[in-house]
Amino acid sequence: ALLSVALSGPAPSGGASVGLSSGDAAFPVPASVVIPAGKRSAALEVRTTTVNASTSVTVTATYNNTTKTAGVTVTPPLK
């Protein structure tokens, strides 16, 4: 799965380290992602784990004392 993290404006010099967390091991994310200086977003690949039933997961991103959440659904493999 592809996860995109975006800021409302360009990242400052030195980049912006955005903290990440996942509410379920089915959608594991790294502890943080760095958005390069001058850029507004970064994308990363998330390797989901196999689930037996559709699993709703909340992903949380924190930057500069602001926290945002997004929901994703991990689905079982097609048979």
Side-chain angles (χ1 to χ4, degrees):
L2 188 64
L3 176 65
S4 179
V5 179
L7 301 174
S8 58
S13 62
S17 180
V18 179
L20 299 174
S21 65
S22 171
D24 194 292
F27 196 83
V29 296
S32 64
V33 62
V34 175
I35 298 175
K39 301 294 183 182
R40 291 179 182 262
S41 64
L44 58 139
E45 186 173 340
V46 175
R47 296 199 180 271
T48 60
T49 60
T50 302
V51 294
N52 294 321
S54 290
T55 304
S56 296
V57 181
T58 299
V59 177
T60 303
T62 304
Y63 175 69
N64 230 11
N65 295 319
T66 299
T67 299
K68 299 288 185 179
T69 60
V72 297
T73 301
V74 179
T75 56
L78 297 174
K79 295 185 180 188

